[in-house]
């Protein structure tokens, strides 16, 4: 999924990649080596092999940052100069967001039962840029594949995922806020109708254009309505507002 689509190859990111002296494009095989606890360039074993089915067996974590629909459309189908500028803003803001997350989530645990916490302030891995959704609508988003590794006093350990998970939503909203601020500064754009995850619509953007490039959303809404109708037919009751069906 990560390496088979998108308009750019994987690129190393973060302080952990710097520690490993991995820079620039990640060549085939690098992601698998990194998730297996090996050096992405030469396969040297770093973290001890994981032999059980515990949470420590996780090779990495996918931090995904997605642009609002209106920004994605500008980034992919607007004038050449504007597309380039939007991509530059998105790349910069995304990198700054993940760097900020490292200061909150760069922790490891060691000792008996993981009793000792160790702060590194480091996250890193390989970043992939995908331009569209599964329905091929404009949906510019980035996957930051964070390796489940931390170097503490010269020893390679696993990442303590609890701080990482607790900070995901907050930093996702930070990404959205910084993206809006930079787009406003660069293009004079204004935004409205913020959602619970911090995304917002671009003021004055044609709603019919947004709808035209929202095939995936339309598919989800149709399927949701189908399941609600099916539930009503079978039970004689209206489905709850937050019902998703199964």
């Amino acid at each position: 999924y990560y390496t088979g689509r998108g308009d750019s190859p994987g690129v190393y990111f973060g302080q952990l990649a710097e520690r490993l002296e991995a820079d620039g494009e990640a060549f085939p095989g690098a992601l698998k080596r990194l998730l297996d606890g090996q050096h992405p360039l030469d396969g040297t074993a770093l973290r001890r092999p994981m032999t059980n089915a515990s949470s420590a067996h996780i090779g990495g974590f996918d931090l995904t940052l997605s642009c609002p629909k209106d920004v994605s459309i500008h980034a992919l189908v607007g004038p050449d100069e504007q597309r380039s500028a939007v991509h530059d803003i998105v790349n910069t803001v995304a990198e700054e967001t993940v760097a900020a997350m490292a200061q909150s989530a760069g922790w490891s645990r060691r000792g008996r039962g993981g009793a000792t916490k160790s702060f590194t302030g480091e996250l890193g891995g390989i970043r992939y840029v995908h331009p569209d959704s599964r329905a091929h609508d404009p949906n510019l988003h980035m996957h930051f594949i964070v390796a489940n590794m931390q170097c503490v006093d010269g020893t390679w350990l696993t990442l303590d995922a609890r701080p990482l998970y607790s900070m995901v939503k907050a930093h996702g909203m930070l990404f959205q806020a910084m993206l809006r601020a930079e787009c406003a500064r660069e293009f004079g754009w204004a935004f409205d109708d913020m959602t619970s995850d911090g995304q917002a619509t671009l003021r004055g953007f044609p709603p019919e254009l947004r709808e035209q490039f929202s095939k995936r959303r339309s598919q989800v809404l149709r399927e949701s309505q189908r399941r609600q109708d099916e539930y009503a037919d079978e039970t004689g009751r209206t489905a709850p507002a937050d019902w998703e069906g199964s």
Side-chain angles (χ1 to χ4, degrees):
Y1 171 74
Y2 299 116
T3 59
R5 64 193 296 269
D7 60 358
S8 65
V11 176
Y12 293 106
F13 75 90
Q15 304 92 330
L16 183 64
E18 293 176 6
R19 178 183 290 275
L20 294 172
E21 298 183 344
D23 186 32
E25 182 177 339
F27 293 105
L31 179 60
K32 184 180 186 305
R33 289 191 289 270
L34 198 61
L35 298 182
D36 286 341
Q38 302 170 359
H39 197 294
L41 301 182
D42 59 18
T44 301
L46 300 174
R47 187 190 61 211
R48 287 187 302 173
M50 300 174 181
T51 58
N52 56 50
S54 71
S55 60
H57 193 66
I58 297 171
F61 306 88
D62 182 352
L63 304 180
T64 304
L65 297 174
S66 300
C67 294
K69 173 68 68 178
D70 302 351
V71 174
S72 292
I73 293 173
H74 274 289
L76 299 172
V77 299
D80 289 346
E81 185 175 343
Q82 186 180 75
R83 289 206 309 267
S84 177
V86 172
H87 274 277
D88 288 345
I89 288 173
V90 172
N91 287 334
T92 298
V93 169
E95 293 278 3
E96 290 176 354
T97 299
V98 175
M101 183 177 283
Q103 295 304 307
S104 302
W107 289 85
S108 184
R109 297 169 66 90
R110 56 181 174 170
R112 187 177 181 86
T116 303
K117 296 182 179 181
S118 298
F119 176 72
T120 67
E122 295 183 358
L123 293 177
I126 302 175
R127 180 196 72 193
Y128 296 93
V129 180
H130 289 176
D132 54 13
S133 69
R134 295 178 187 271
H136 305 297
D137 289 321
N139 179 28
L140 181 59
H141 60 285
M142 296 183 177
H143 296 274
F144 287 82
I145 311 304
V146 176
N148 188 14
M149 292 193 292
Q150 295 278 278
C151 187
V152 179
D153 297 333
T155 300
W156 287 93
L157 306 172
T158 57
L159 180 70
D160 183 356
R162 290 173 295 183
L164 183 70
Y165 284 131
S166 71
M167 294 292 175
V168 165
K169 183 170 183 178
H171 284 84
M173 296 186 75
L174 174 65
F175 168 76
Q176 298 295 335
M178 291 196 299
L179 181 61
R180 289 194 302 275
E182 287 302 308
C183 286
R185 182 185 62 80
E186 181 71 19
F187 308 118
W189 293 352
F191 293 84
D192 294 312
D193 303 328
M194 188 183 302
T195 63
S196 60
D197 62 359
Q199 291 202 13
T201 57
L202 182 58
R203 186 177 301 169
F205 193 89
E208 61 274 12
L209 184 58
R210 186 183 303 127
E211 190 65 28
Q212 178 182 342
F213 287 115
S214 300
K215 294 190 294 293
R216 179 61 177 165
R217 179 175 183 274
S218 298
Q219 292 170 359
V220 171
L221 290 176
R222 285 197 300 270
E223 178 63 15
S224 175
Q225 187 60 55
R226 185 191 68 77
R227 295 191 181 195
Q228 291 180 55
D229 292 344
E230 185 178 79
Y231 176 87
D233 290 342
E234 292 177 354
T235 66
R237 300 194 301 271
T238 301
D242 59 351
W243 185 83
E244 296 180 357
S246 61

